[in-house]
Amino acid sequence: MPDRNDAWELLCEYTKGDSLRKHALAVETAMRASAKRYGEVDADEEEWGLVGLLHDFDYEMFPSAEQHPFTGANILCGRGYYEAFIRAIMGHATYTGVPRDTQMARALFATDELCGFLVACALVRPSRSLDDMEVSSVKKKLKDKAFARSVSREDIRQGVEELGVDMDEHIRFLIDALRPVQAEIGLATLNS
């Protein structure tokens, strides 16, 4: 299977926008942490991370539901990524009909939208950081339908439910997982 450098080159080939690349880095980081927390004993942290990095790599060029992530899946197949990897990416889009039947696939679905939402929450804070963010603040923003309205609250709820975890714990887990990469994903760091 291709390595991290190959995956980054693929992402950059299809994704020119800075915000989508930062989202890919956030989900990669969350998925690496998720491999340890939600994966089986032998879960491959690198594999989980690359699934997070590449889950939306085709979105900028092929954003329609008819194309994303189908086009990306075909590209990944041609680049040597194996079926379980591609199925996890296919499953993160509810409309594909691909079941999330592995922990990796469930974790991707449970982290994708929530990572984007956490970054949005941090960007409107005076600190522009996750360092002082509380779970209660995130949950309050989740209830505000006007805030980050493109983020599917239903996908977040369903993802946490499918993963079989507590919403508060999962939010806290992702905040903590993303803190080390705040600068890379466009946020400030208070404790540096």
Side-chain angles (χ1 to χ4, degrees), residues 160-186:
V160 168
E161 186 178 292
E162 288 180 14
L163 194 55
V165 297
D166 176 75
M167 178 70 81
D168 288 18
E169 287 177 24
H170 190 58
I171 292 169
R172 169 56 50 210
F173 166 69
L174 288 182
I175 291 170
D176 293 342
L178 293 177
R179 280 185 175 145
V181 298
Q182 288 185 99
E184 292 89 347
I185 62 174

Side-chain angles (χ1 to χ4, degrees), residues 6-15 21 24 53-54 57:
D6 296 324
W8 180 255
E9 285 178 18
L10 180 60
L11 175 71
C12 293
E13 180 181 340
Y14 285 87
T15 304
R21 285 184 184 181
L53 185 68
L54 293 176
F57 86 94

Side-chain angles (χ1 to χ4, degrees), residues 65-157:
E66 292 78 32
Q67 296 174 308
H68 168 73
F70 303 101
T71 302
N74 288 331
I75 293 165
L76 291 171
C77 186
R79 300 275 179 114
Y81 292 89
Y82 57 89
E83 186 179 345
F85 186 99
I86 296 168
R87 283 180 58 81
I89 289 174
M90 289 292 291
H92 95 278
T94 55
Y95 54 83
T96 64
V98 175
R100 292 175 288 278
D101 52 9
T102 65
Q103 279 296 93
M104 182 170 62
R106 288 186 283 272
L108 178 60
F109 186 59
T111 59
D112 178 23
E113 289 285 297
L114 192 50
C115 280
F117 192 79
L118 291 174
V119 170
C121 288
L123 288 172
V124 298
R125 298 177 67 73
S127 66
R128 296 180 58 88
S129 175
L130 296 169
D131 289 330
D132 59 353
M133 184 179 290
E134 294 300 327
V135 171
S136 58
S137 302
V138 175
K139 290 183 77 175
K140 185 176 179 182
K141 289 286 190 194
L142 278 169
K143 291 177 184 172
D144 179 356
K145 302 295 185 220
F147 178 76
R149 66 175 53 116
S150 66
V151 174
S152 170
R153 273 62 168 176
E154 176 55 25
D155 283 1
I156 291 173
R157 186 206 58 73

Side-chain angles (χ1 to χ4, degrees), residues 20-63:
L20 203 51
R21 285 184 184 181
K22 286 177 180 175
H23 175 67
L25 290 172
V27 179
E28 175 190 20
T29 301
M31 286 297 290
R32 287 179 183 278
S34 292
K36 295 176 192 166
R37 184 174 183 117
Y38 303 128
E40 295 79 20
V41 175
D42 60 346
D44 184 343
E45 185 180 328
E46 181 76 1
E47 174 189 1
W48 284 50
L50 295 184
V51 161
L53 185 68
L54 293 176
H55 77 285
D56 276 343
F57 86 94
D58 65 335
Y59 184 77
E60 189 177 276
M61 288 189 178
F62 306 101

